[in-house]
Amino acid sequence: MPATTVPAVPTVLTARALLLDMDGTLVNSDAVVERIWRRWAEQHGLDGDEVMTVVHGRQGYASMALLLPDRPMEQNHADNARMLAEETADVEGVVPIPGAPEFLASLRGVPHALVTSADLALATARMGAAGLEMPEVRVTAESVGASKPDPEGFLKGAAELGVAPADCVVFEDSGAGIQAGRAAGMRVVGVGPRAGFHEPDVVVGDLREVRVEAVGDGLVRVYVR
């Protein structure tokens, strides 16, 4: 007898709010990140491949502190400010993650916030370059005192939406971001090839594998296949 195909049963997460990372989750900015961070690595005599394993998800100064632990932090902040300006001006190759436009459109009326390690100028530039609508609630680098993997950003996003951390679902691609979401007491949907290495609650290849449905009483169901 021919084999029968059993339809995949989606994972269903129930929440009251969604907290969204930007780079690697909504926007593919890898081309820019590679250009700028590999140039920085060369200037400091560091291996570019090693640097690229560190920088995703963190604010720049925090990545530099890990890569150059003996360097004064004020130099890291100065480099970070300069590199943010470079990244904001360079949007060549910035594109939406597949499914991101439809995913964001489905969140109208659903409590959600952007929680990103980018500053507001960079977030605005990259979301614009990718043709994505900026969420009304956003927690950017200026909003927090500590970078991911510290949970501050996600906790602040939940507070601004008036939702308990346990009622939030985080969408993240990086190890630092997934760690931050878990430390905040939230469930995490990992997005993309980096995510699966860091044990999120569930992993998708991209946002085409996610469907969001408001079901009343302030509840939201997230279907992941």
Side-chain angles (χ1 to χ4, degrees):
M1 293 179 64
T4 58
T5 300
V6 178
V9 177
T11 298
V12 183
L13 303 175
T14 301
R16 292 187 180 275
L18 308 183
L19 302 178
L20 318 174
D21 175 52
M22 181 182 69
D23 292 302
T25 301
L26 298 174
V27 171
N28 183 345
S29 56
D30 284 357
V32 181
V33 174
E34 289 266 348
R35 281 195 295 273
I36 288 178
W37 276 100
R38 286 187 180 276
R39 187 161 63 236
W40 182 88
E42 184 176 359
Q43 291 167 353
H44 293 87
L46 299 175
D47 179 77
D49 290 339
E50 179 184 346
V51 167
M52 295 313 302
T53 68
V54 172
V55 300
H56 292 289
R58 293 181 173 85
Q59 292 191 42
Y61 73 84
S63 296
M64 295 170 195
L66 291 173
L67 293 162
L68 296 173
D70 297 325
R71 192 165 82 144
M73 188 58 81
E74 58 265 26
Q75 292 185 28
N76 296 336
H77 281 288
D79 266 10
N80 185 50
R82 176 180 55 78
M83 290 172 71
L84 279 172
E86 291 177 5
E87 290 182 274
T88 302
D90 182 359
V91 294
E92 183 178 353
V94 173
V95 295
I97 293 292
E102 297 81 3
F103 174 72
L104 285 173
S106 76
L107 299 188
R108 293 189 184 119
V110 171
H112 66 285
L114 188 72
V115 182
T116 175
S117 293
D119 65 8
L120 181 58
L122 179 57
T124 302
R126 285 188 176 163
M127 292 288 281
L132 298 178
E133 184 177 346
M134 178 75 85
E136 289 185 16
V137 178
R138 69 286 297 249
V139 179
T140 57
E142 303 96 328
S143 309
V144 297
S147 170
K148 299 173 186 177
D150 191 284
E152 180 186 358
F154 287 124
L155 292 172
K156 185 162 188 175
E160 292 198 14
L161 293 170
V163 176
D167 289 329
C168 295
V169 169
V170 166
F171 286 76
E172 263 285 0
D173 72 300
S174 71
I178 292 167
Q179 185 179 339
R182 293 174 71 89
M186 301 172 181
R187 291 152 295 159
V188 181
V189 176
V191 180
R194 287 188 287 266
F197 295 102
H198 305 288
E199 300 184 346
D201 294 275
V202 63
V203 182
V204 297
D206 59 49
L207 293 171
R208 291 174 295 186
E209 299 175 21
V210 179
R211 182 170 64 86
V212 177
E213 178 186 27
V215 294
D217 292 328
L219 293 176
V220 179
R221 287 195 186 126
V222 180
Y223 298 87
V224 178
R225 68 173 193 273

